[in-house]
């Protein structure tokens, strides 16, 4: 005999289901807003950094490309390292997907850092010649403003771009000292800071700026020579660090190709997932320590 229908029998399960559904909805909504806010901040920061490199890319385009690449990386990691038919495999897919997601999101940051470093090295290399040119211009009777314009007219990037912004700011009414400070903050070069301080002291005390420029140029040349010697002496250590750090990654790829079933079981096990996370942390720590060892300030 079929028992009579009673709404009380289904009220408690329905209530629990509604509560969990609302909790999950608000949790996912909060997570989406957090990721969206972080993505917007990252894209705006990346856009400002690229503008300082004179690469004008809209922030919304950076955000869309970064989000699309991150989602594709997450899906790739989920289906490669995960097995949705088992709870452990599902967790492994989520962990692998999140690792690839964050690694892909780090690529723009690393790329911008490399571009900034290369541009800064080229700027410092050109600054030595610019100081000599400015010193000769001052000896010829030019003012300091005209000496800056001489470097701009030569058109050698990136120093002509940075000095051009400085000249434009002074022409529209920005104080000379403020324009120098803006350029110093924008370029973030120790050699440029040395030049700016020399100009400020000379304008306050009335010193011989041509001799100061010659001394600064000689100092920068000597420091560049020492830095090049240090890089050549520490090149083997940097290469060893890169090779040792990449060996576990190559072993992981090779073992995945040779025995996919064994690696699938490894990624679907909680201990395997924990070991994978530990390896990533240790590799990051190793790269950081080696970078600190071989990075010698001059």
């Amino acid at each position: 005999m079929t028992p009579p229908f009673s709404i009380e029998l289904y009220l408690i399960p329905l209530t629990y289901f509604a509560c969990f559904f609302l909790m999950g909805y608000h949790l996912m909504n909060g997570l989406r807003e957090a990721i969206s806010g972080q993505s917007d901040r990252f894209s705006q920061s990346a856009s400002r950094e690229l503008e300082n490199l004179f690469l004008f890319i809209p922030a919304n385009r950076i955000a869309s490309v970064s989000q699309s690449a991150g989602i594709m990386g997450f899906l790739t990691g989920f289906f490669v390292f995960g097995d949705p038919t088992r709870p452990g495999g599902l967790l492994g897919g989520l962990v692998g997907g999140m690792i690839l997601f964050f690694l892909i999101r780090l690529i723009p940051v690393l790329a911008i850092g490399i571009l900034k470093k290369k541009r800064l090295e080229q700027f410092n290399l050109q600054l030595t010649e610019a100081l000599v040119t400015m010193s000769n211009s001052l000896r010829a009777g030019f003012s300091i403003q005209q000496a800056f314009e001489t470097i701009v007219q030569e058109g050698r990037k990136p120093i002509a771009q940075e000095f051009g912004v400085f000249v434009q700011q002074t022409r529209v009414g920005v104080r000379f000292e403020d324009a120098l400070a803006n350029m110093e903050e924008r370029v973030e070069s120790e050699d440029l800071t040395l030049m700016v301080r020399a100009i400020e002291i000379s304008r306050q005390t009335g010193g011989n700026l041509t001799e100061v420029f010659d001394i600064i140029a000689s100092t920068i040349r000597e420091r560049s020579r020492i830095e090049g010697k240090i890089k050549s002496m520490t090149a083997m250590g940097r290469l060893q660090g890169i090779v040792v750090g990449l060996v576990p990654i190559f072993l992981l790829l090779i073992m995945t190709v040779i025995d996919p079933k064994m690696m699938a079981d490894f990624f679907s096990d909680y201990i395997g997932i924990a070991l994978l996370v530990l390896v990533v942390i240790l590799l990051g720590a190793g790269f950081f320590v080696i970078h600190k060892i071989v990075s010698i300030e001059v």
Side-chain angles (χ1 to χ4, degrees):
M1 182 176 180
T2 304
F5 176 79
S6 178
I7 193 173
E8 288 82 1
L9 296 176
Y10 300 95
L11 183 60
I12 295 177
L14 289 174
T15 304
Y16 274 104
F17 175 78
C19 291
F20 280 110
F21 176 79
L22 291 175
M23 183 176 66
Y25 172 77
H26 287 294
L27 180 63
M28 294 301 296
N29 191 34
L31 182 62
R32 180 184 61 81
E33 291 180 356
I35 293 176
S36 177
Q38 190 273 339
S39 178
D40 292 340
R41 290 192 297 270
F42 164 76
S43 60
Q44 292 174 2
S45 175
S47 181
R48 287 193 297 268
E49 293 288 347
L50 289 174
E51 286 179 1
N52 290 336
L53 298 175
F54 290 83
L55 298 174
F56 302 99
I57 302 176
N60 55 356
R61 181 168 298 180
I62 296 175
S64 61
V65 172
S66 178
Q67 289 177 356
S68 301
I71 292 173
M72 291 180 63
F74 175 81
L75 294 176
T76 302
F78 180 81
F79 288 111
V80 170
F81 301 109
D83 184 6
T85 60
R86 292 182 296 175
L90 182 63
L91 179 60
L94 291 175
V95 172
M98 292 303 295
I99 291 175
L100 282 181
F101 175 81
F102 286 110
L103 287 178
I104 290 176
R105 292 296 297 271
L106 283 176
I107 291 177
V109 178
L110 297 176
I112 292 175
I114 293 173
L115 290 175
K116 287 182 63 177
K117 183 178 179 181
K118 294 296 183 182
R119 192 172 190 273
L120 181 60
E121 291 176 355
Q122 190 175 8
F123 179 90
N124 290 334
L125 185 63
Q126 295 176 356
L127 183 61
T128 305
E129 300 177 4
L131 286 170
V132 175
T133 302
M134 293 172 67
S135 177
N136 294 332
S137 299
L138 293 175
R139 286 193 180 96
F142 289 8
S143 65
I144 184 65
Q145 179 77 16
Q146 292 173 330
F148 276 101
E149 293 176 358
T150 303
I151 305 301
V152 176
Q153 292 171 1
E154 291 182 356
R156 298 185 60 190
K157 298 179 182 179
I159 193 168
Q161 293 174 327
E162 299 295 346
F163 280 27
V165 174
F166 165 82
V167 172
Q168 290 176 2
Q169 288 181 349
T170 56
R171 287 175 178 174
V172 298
V174 180
R175 293 176 61 249
F176 186 89
E177 293 78 6
D178 294 338
L180 278 177
N182 293 336
M183 183 171 62
E184 179 185 359
E185 181 181 359
R186 188 172 59 252
V187 179
E188 298 179 355
S189 169
E190 295 181 358
D191 297 338
L192 179 64
T193 299
L194 187 62
M195 186 196 79
V196 170
R197 296 294 176 269
I199 293 175
E200 291 177 349
I201 294 173
S202 177
R203 287 172 63 88
Q204 293 174 2
T205 60
N208 190 347
L209 196 56
T210 57
E211 294 181 1
V212 173
F213 279 172
D214 291 337
I215 294 173
I216 294 175
S218 177
T219 303
I220 294 175
R221 286 197 194 96
E222 184 65 19
R223 185 163 66 178
S224 299
R225 185 186 67 81
I226 295 174
E227 287 178 350
K229 188 175 182 180
I230 291 174
K231 286 183 180 180
S232 63
M233 295 176 65
T234 58
M236 183 60 68
R238 293 196 302 270
L239 180 60
Q240 290 176 350
I242 294 173
V243 172
V244 172
L246 293 178
V247 164
I249 300 176
F250 283 123
L251 287 177
L252 177 65
L253 295 176
I254 292 173
M255 292 177 66
T256 303
V257 173
I258 294 175
D259 195 346
K261 184 178 181 304
M262 180 188 69
M263 297 307 297
D265 294 336
F266 175 78
F267 289 122
S268 62
D269 188 76
Y270 295 105
I271 298 177
I273 296 171
L275 289 175
L276 181 63
V277 174
L278 180 62
V279 167
V280 173
I281 294 174
L282 291 177
L283 283 176
F287 276 119
F288 177 77
V289 171
I290 292 175
H291 176 72
K292 287 296 183 181
I293 291 174
V294 301
S295 298
I296 302 174
E297 297 293 336
V298 180

